[in-house]
Amino acid sequence: MLTCAIIDDDEINRLTLEHYVSLTPGLELKASLADGIAGLAYLREGHAVDLLFLDIEMPHLNGLELLRLLQDPPAVVITTARNDFAVDAFELQVTDYLVKPFEYGRFSQAVERVRQHPRPQPAAASGAPDAPANADVFVKVNSRMVRINFNDVLYVEALSDYVNIVTAQHKYIVYTTLKALEARLAVFPNFVRVHRSYLLNTQHIESIEDNTANLKGGYYVPIGKSYQEGFFKGLSKM
């Protein structure tokens, strides 16, 4: 049974979500709250749910601010009348983003996405962190939000104010910095900074020669001099 809560100050949409939840087998509603402050209090009181349907535009405390205040949030599906918050929302690792008004079919699709990709539990303090079970991340490419599985990424290259995310099939030019993306990928232990302009996914290394990593598909990434000692030391532990 998947448990959920609704935090939405739009009464009509809240009632619609309650109805949709009632129509969905295996989904149980634990709370339906009309503002962000009440929602934050509910969650901080220790009421655990698997899924949160969260509006963004609410008085006093909006949905994204609420999400940033939670240390261990559940899976989140954004429900909003605005589509221009999508980048900020996906930066916070929400599972889906529904723009009002939405039909039951789209709601059901979001619930199924949560079932297929549950939010990973925190790693035990005694061991090294594992990569998240769900490595899918949305990035903005031109005007589109594109889902990328970072297990498929070979490397990331800095291009001034942009980065080039390279997989075996595609290249995505994304408006962000390499430093910002490196911080975002810190939960993926296979991503290593090997050059001031490159992040490398060590899963895809086939060989290393002359301080150059040879990757699947015929790609090559240089290993910068100042990064070599740390890289090879880390590689020996894998």
Side-chain angles (χ1 to χ4, degrees):
M1 177 68 70
L2 198 66
T3 60
C4 69
I6 298 166
I7 304 175
D8 194 327
D9 74 332
D10 180 339
E11 183 177 5
I12 293 176
N13 194 65
R14 193 168 63 253
L15 292 173
T16 299
L17 284 168
E18 291 173 9
H19 178 57
Y20 285 172
V21 170
S22 71
L23 295 176
T24 306
L27 186 61
E28 180 184 359
L29 181 63
K30 291 293 189 179
S32 183
L33 305 162
D35 63 76
I37 293 177
L40 181 63
Y42 176 82
L43 294 168
R44 283 185 166 176
E45 286 167 3
H47 300 285
V49 293
D50 302 308
L51 168 59
L52 188 62
F53 293 101
L54 181 63
D55 193 9
I56 291 181
E57 293 187 292
M58 295 183 289
H60 308 301
L61 183 68
N62 73 42
L64 297 184
E65 291 169 341
L66 184 156
L67 192 51
R68 291 187 181 102
L69 291 172
L70 297 177
Q71 291 187 343
D72 185 23
V76 175
V77 171
I78 293 294
T79 59
T80 179
R82 302 270 297 273
N83 59 18
D84 51 334
F85 289 109
V87 174
D88 290 336
F90 283 116
E91 286 284 349
L92 292 170
Q93 303 296 296
V94 304
T95 303
D96 212 336
Y97 191 100
L98 305 185
V99 179
K100 306 173 188 178
F102 45 85
E103 301 296 330
Y104 176 73
R106 183 66 183 88
F107 169 89
S108 181
Q109 183 183 54
V111 173
E112 185 59 27
R113 185 165 289 166
V114 173
R115 293 190 201 278
Q116 294 298 320
H117 302 290
R119 194 171 182 90
Q121 296 300 312
S126 58
D130 294 325
N134 177 18
D136 289 352
V137 178
F138 280 87
V139 296
K140 189 173 184 180
V141 180
N142 297 322
S143 60
R144 296 182 302 133
M145 294 301 297
V146 177
R147 182 189 293 271
I148 297 177
N149 187 299
F150 272 98
N151 288 325
D152 298 331
V153 173
L154 302 175
Y155 65 91
V156 182
E157 179 185 9
L159 301 172
S160 187
D161 293 331
Y162 293 80
V163 296
N164 182 23
I165 300 175
V166 180
T167 72
Q169 291 79 31
H170 301 285
K171 294 183 178 182
Y172 304 95
I173 305 298
V174 178
Y175 182 66
T176 188
T177 64
L178 192 65
K179 183 178 180 179
L181 192 59
E182 182 180 16
R184 189 173 175 183
L185 292 174
V187 294
F188 300 98
N190 292 315
F191 277 89
V192 180
R193 185 76 168 263
V194 296
H195 189 280
R196 63 188 180 90
S197 299
Y198 289 92
L199 281 170
L200 173 64
N201 187 346
T202 58
Q203 293 183 104
H204 298 294
I205 297 176
E206 291 192 331
S207 63
I208 299 172
E209 185 177 359
D210 296 329
N211 293 319
T212 298
N214 305 319
L215 309 180
K216 298 174 182 177
Y219 291 93
Y220 302 90
V221 171
I223 303 169
K225 186 174 181 180
S226 61
Y227 296 87
Q228 289 171 13
E229 182 179 355
F231 172 72
F232 287 113
K233 187 180 294 184
L235 201 64
S236 67
K237 296 178 181 179
M238 294 180 183

